[in-house]
Amino acid sequence: MAVSVDNVIRFPEGSRLSTADSDRPQTLAKARSFMAHKLGEALALLLPRLEEELLASGDIASGRAQREFCYGTRETIHEHAQRLPSLLATRWLDLAEQRMQPGARTRPARVISEPEDLQLVDFGAMDHELAVTAISGRLRSACDESLFGAGRRLGFLSGESDANWPVEDLIAQSVDKAFAGVGLSGMAQLELLRAIERHASEVFGPAIDDLNVFLLGCGVLPKLRRSYFASAADKKHPIADENSSEATDLFALLQKLVASPPVAAAATVAGLPDALTPRALAATGMPLPAGTSGRMAVAIDDVMATLQTLQWAAPAPVVPDPGKGNVLRDFRASDTGQSLDELHAVTVDIVATLFDFIFDDAAVADPIKALVARLQIPVLKVALLDKSFFSSKAHPARRLLNGISRAAVRCGPTAGHDDPLYARLAQLVDRVQSEFRQDTGLFDLLCVELDGFLDGQEATADARAVEAAPLVAEQELRDLAALAAEQVLAGWLAKPLPAVLIDLLHNEWRSLLIRHYVNGDDSAWGVAKTTIADLVASVQPQPDAISRKRLAVRLPALVRRIYDDLDCLQVAEARRLVLVDSLFTLHAAVLRGTVLPAASALPALPKAEPASPQISSEHIASGDTSLERIFLSPGCLPANSAGSEQARSLVAGLQRGDWIEFANAGAGPMRYRLSWISPQRGILLLTNPQSPQALSVSPDALAVQFERGEAALVAVEPIFERAVKRALAALKAA
């Protein structure tokens, strides 16, 4: 429940206080302890839910690393479940004590005022700070009145009559420090903070209400009046979040990008889209700088009504041209757009600029640009209502844009209306365009739907990978067997041998060794090697009659072993007769002591440059499983160059879940997701939910394809984040 505040003014304020000055420190101490107890209770109730969420996330995770991360974080939470509530209570007491120290209210927050400051920013630390700030923002959004009452009453007890304790900030920081106190850090701590943010108002809101009830029971400011009450729209879309330092900093930087004529003039040298140059801006009718039309500022309700009309009247999707397909610039040039107050005008300019960067991004496929173009008005409405949209990656609208980016990776550059994934994205965009007014809960709902659809597709791809993995493992085992057989035969083939023996070793005995290796029959493998040694010894000249007699005794058993091995290989009868007759002739000559046919060895070829790498492929099918195997042709070696070294490093850094685009002259570019990497030789197994065929690619072959431009790693950075980075980079370059 929210504790209501009395809006009746009574003067002087001191006459209506029932808490004596001498009782304030004692009451404050009791209030701090009471709140510490309530926060501990709240966290104790939340921890089992967090464990369940982490377990569920681990169960559906697409990669082993992500799955182990979820399970490991859950184990840490479970291990410290008894300690965390008391640790949260302790951290709350510590921070509340620090809040009472002199100068606590005047400590400056970190401000990023210039693009050059970005060089000093640790973006991992910034994500962490944003997650803590998001908890505060969530509490302010849902518990605004209760926070005002609690903050003002605690400020009164601490001797700061006009102060308003930032209770929400103290709670968020206490949670952060509690997690750090049990050894959580990095991504684990960040993930838990984001989870806390989702539940913050539900879990900690009642504790704030209880604190107000406790303070009212102690007679602290029983007739507290607030001079400003948030409207219903403000409560639903908290403007308070724009006061966070991170949101203000990023918003201020982007404001410089759109509001400063020198920056716009430097667009061509800074890498800005052509739509941002002064000439292009003038052509659209968009004023520079923002908010200088001289007209009376239009009310935000009228702005929203105009935008709603534009949203419903949005045209059919077409590939936008920066500077021409940006409907936000048309809106800015309209009567309503030129009558905006400065803050709202700058917001429109910023969102329009970011969409210009998206439309100018070569990494985004044209069909996806056409869909994203239809989100311009809804995104602008969100940005006008909540400036935290710019800084919070957890914002529902940002998450939906990121989900579309995640889907765009697998759509490919030629995705059309018949593509099931593109069709699903189009449905989501249609719903935003037709249903969104001001409640961002719609974005949350659509994020869940899109994530579920994408997770289902990944599950399909993973199932196909499970079916194809045995084929890859089998082929990999044969490759290893061929290498092992080559090592065994190399020593014998380097010696001068009769031609028939060289022929036999090159063909039948190589196949025999490979078969025994694949079957894992070490005993048969050893016998085959012994037979080679005995066979080579049997065709060597014998120095005397005694040696020839001993050979005659051994030959029947040796010939029988050779017969059995040829039977095992099911050698054709004609081939068998040629081999047996040739070996009989050799052995007869040795036993008679006559001169053997001239022995030979593999010719010593002059050292030559390695052949240019050639890519080969073969189709392997087993039941309903289809696999396309891609490998370097035998005898080819990868070239050594700066480009090839860079390509091999790129292959070595691939992880499960990465997407790779392969050039295909006939069917056009095809994108596949890396689903499995074999532990033996690093063979990469790739799948696509839209394709019944899996790919297996050897690391060397993929490196050659990367180097030649026949394959490329697909960028997976969300399109909105990429637009923000490009905007900041352009601002810095200017």
Side-chain angles (χ1 to χ4, degrees):
M1 65 174 181
V3 179
S4 61
V5 292
D6 190 352
N7 61 356
V8 177
I9 304 176
R10 293 182 175 87
F11 296 99
E13 184 174 298
S15 65
R16 56 185 173 90
L17 304 179
S18 59
T19 303
D21 291 349
S22 59
D23 295 335
R24 290 184 187 182
Q26 183 178 3
T27 304
L28 178 59
K30 291 180 179 179
R32 289 165 45 206
S33 299
F34 176 85
M35 188 59 173
H37 175 70
K38 288 295 180 180
L39 291 176
E41 286 183 342
L43 185 60
L45 292 174
L46 177 60
L47 288 178
R49 294 174 59 185
L50 296 183
E51 290 186 41
E52 292 176 3
E53 291 177 1
L54 287 167
L55 182 61
S57 298
D59 291 341
I60 65 173
S62 59
R64 185 180 66 180
Q66 181 64 20
R67 186 163 52 250
E68 291 178 350
F69 168 77
C70 293
Y71 291 159
T73 306
R74 175 188 175 273
E75 287 300 320
T76 303
I77 290 297
H78 185 75
E79 179 184 353
H80 298 288
Q82 299 298 321
R83 184 183 173 202
L84 275 169
S86 61
L87 198 56
L88 173 59
T90 302
R91 295 296 180 261
W92 160 266
L93 291 172
D94 292 342
L95 290 173
E97 180 68 27
Q98 294 174 17
R99 181 66 179 78
M100 298 171 58
Q101 301 302 317
R105 297 175 55 191
T106 60
R107 293 172 186 170
R110 184 190 63 176
V111 175
I112 304 173
S113 58
E114 298 295 337
E116 290 77 6
D117 294 340
L118 292 171
Q119 297 176 340
L120 306 177
V121 175
D122 181 344
F123 285 100
M126 179 174 287
D127 284 342
H128 176 264
E129 292 177 14
L130 288 175
V132 176
T133 303
I135 297 175
S136 304
R138 179 77 66 153
L139 289 172
R140 281 194 298 272
S141 173
C143 313
D144 187 55
E145 293 184 18
S146 293
L147 284 168
F148 173 79
R152 182 56 63 87
R153 290 182 174 103
L154 291 175
F156 168 74
L157 290 176
S158 62
E160 305 168 82
S161 300
D162 297 327
N164 189 23
W165 271 38
V167 175
E168 67 276 21
D169 293 342
L170 296 178
I171 293 175
Q173 294 168 22
S174 299
V175 171
D176 179 37
K177 292 181 179 297
F179 284 141
V182 295
L184 285 164
S185 61
M187 285 303 301
Q189 187 178 12
L190 183 61
E191 182 67 24
L192 287 171
L193 289 173
R194 289 171 175 169
I196 289 288
E197 186 264 332
R198 293 193 297 269
H199 301 290
S201 58
E202 175 189 356
V203 173
F204 297 128
I208 299 170
D209 293 338
D210 290 343
L211 176 60
N212 271 305
V213 172
F214 173 83
L215 292 170
L216 285 171
C218 295
V220 182
L221 300 184
K223 298 297 183 179
L224 180 64
R225 175 186 181 275
R226 187 171 187 178
S227 59
Y228 165 77
F229 288 92
S231 65
D234 291 338
K235 293 175 183 177
K236 188 174 292 186
H237 309 283
I239 301 301
D241 281 355
E242 73 185 70
N243 294 325
S244 68
S245 61
E246 290 82 359
T248 304
D249 294 340
L250 182 58
F251 186 79
L253 282 174
L254 294 174
Q255 182 177 356
K256 292 183 180 181
L257 181 66
V258 300
S260 173
V263 172
T268 55
V269 299
L272 289 168
D274 292 339
L276 300 184
T277 62
R279 181 175 299 177
L281 290 175
T284 65
M286 179 176 168
L288 266 179
T292 58
S293 62
R295 305 187 183 189
M296 182 178 294
V298 65
I300 187 64
D301 290 342
D302 294 336
V303 175
M304 288 297 162
T306 301
L307 291 175
Q308 192 66 52
T309 301
L310 291 174
Q311 178 179 317
W312 285 338
V318 295
V319 179
D321 180 12
K324 298 179 181 179
N326 194 321
V327 299
L328 302 184
R329 300 206 180 281
D330 296 335
F331 168 70
R332 264 299 269 128
S334 68
D335 290 341
T336 302
Q338 293 188 24
S339 300
L340 296 172
D341 63 35
E342 185 171 357
L343 179 62
H344 291 151
V346 167
T347 303
V348 177
D349 296 348
I350 289 174
V351 176
T353 299
L354 292 176
F355 271 101
D356 277 336
F357 277 106
I358 292 175
F359 299 152
D360 192 53
D361 193 340
V364 182
D366 286 346
I368 302 301
K369 289 180 182 178
L371 288 178
V372 173
R374 299 169 60 192
L375 296 175
Q376 293 177 77
I377 298 298
V379 169
L380 174 59
K381 288 163 60 179
V382 170
L384 288 171
L385 292 166
D386 184 2
K387 297 304 181 296
S388 70
F389 166 79
F390 292 101
S391 62
S392 175
K393 295 179 181 179
H395 194 286
R398 289 277 291 275
R399 288 193 288 112
L400 182 62
L401 288 172
N402 292 347
I404 292 175
S405 301
R406 178 184 169 198
V409 168
R410 63 197 69 189
C411 274
T414 58
H417 299 284
D418 296 334
D419 188 301
L421 183 53
Y422 179 87
R424 176 57 65 94
L425 292 179
Q427 291 174 5
L428 296 178
V429 172
D430 285 341
R431 289 190 59 185
V432 173
Q433 197 169 10
S434 62
E435 299 178 23
F436 176 65
R437 288 173 173 79
Q438 296 186 22
D439 185 2
T440 56
L442 176 64
F443 290 97
D444 274 317
L445 176 62
L446 297 181
C447 284
V448 172
E449 292 183 10
L450 180 57
D451 288 343
F453 181 79
L454 296 179
D455 290 343
Q457 285 212 324
E458 290 184 359
T460 300
D462 286 341
R464 189 164 293 132
V466 170
E467 296 171 356
L471 296 180
V472 176
E474 179 182 350
Q475 188 58 52
E476 183 180 47
L477 182 60
R478 295 190 66 82
D479 291 342
L480 292 172
L483 290 174
E486 187 68 33
Q487 291 176 353
V488 170
L489 295 174
W492 301 113
L493 292 173
K495 299 179 179 180
L497 295 175
V500 62
L501 199 51
I502 292 176
D503 187 19
L504 178 64
L505 296 183
H506 257 309
N507 295 285
E508 282 73 17
W509 236 252
R510 184 187 303 276
S511 298
L512 185 66
L513 288 170
I514 290 175
R515 169 175 293 196
H516 293 328
Y517 188 100
V518 170
N519 293 335
D521 193 339
D522 294 338
S523 176
W525 171 273
V527 171
K529 290 173 61 177
T530 301
T531 302
I532 297 173
D534 292 345
L535 183 57
V536 171
S538 71
V539 298
Q540 303 301 319
Q542 303 300 314
D544 50 48
I546 296 177
S547 299
R548 291 193 288 272
K549 186 175 180 179
R550 290 173 180 169
L551 176 61
V553 173
R554 297 195 305 270
L555 276 179
L558 175 61
V559 171
R560 172 48 54 193
R561 297 205 314 264
I562 294 173
Y563 265 75
D564 290 343
D565 289 331
L566 294 178
D567 286 340
C568 177
L569 293 172
Q570 298 181 345
V571 177
E573 187 63 26
R575 169 72 174 171
R576 184 199 301 265
L577 289 176
V578 170
L579 291 173
V580 170
D581 287 348
S582 299
L583 289 177
F584 178 81
T585 300
L586 286 175
H587 289 147
V590 172
L591 293 175
R592 289 194 301 267
T594 58
V595 178
L596 290 172
S600 63
L602 291 178
L605 299 176
K607 188 174 182 180
E609 293 295 325
S612 176
Q614 299 295 322
I615 303 294
S616 298
S617 65
E618 64 174 341
H619 183 76
I620 303 173
S622 177
D624 296 333
T625 305
S626 176
L627 178 70
E628 187 74 15
R629 177 173 173 254
I630 301 175
F631 55 95
L632 283 186
S633 300
C636 293
L637 296 175
N640 287 320
S641 65
S644 61
E645 183 64 30
Q646 184 178 5
R648 283 193 290 270
S649 297
L650 183 59
V651 173
L654 292 175
Q655 296 181 353
R656 186 170 183 264
D658 288 340
W659 282 80
I660 300 172
E661 182 175 285
F662 294 89
N664 189 315
M670 293 291 294
R671 291 185 175 183
Y672 282 85
R673 172 179 174 265
L674 178 55
S675 298
W676 180 68
I677 302 177
S678 70
Q680 295 292 332
R681 301 185 63 222
I683 302 296
L684 300 104
L685 177 61
L686 303 107
T687 57
N688 187 312
Q690 312 300 330
S691 173
Q693 179 171 272
L695 294 182
S696 75
V697 190
S698 71
D700 288 340
L702 184 58
V704 170
Q705 289 178 303
F706 275 152
E707 185 178 7
R708 294 176 177 174
E710 298 170 2
L713 183 63
V714 180
V716 296
E717 185 180 19
I719 54 179
F720 191 84
E721 268 65 31
R722 191 159 58 245
V724 170
K725 287 185 177 179
R726 292 181 65 200
L728 293 177
L731 175 61
K732 182 178 179 181

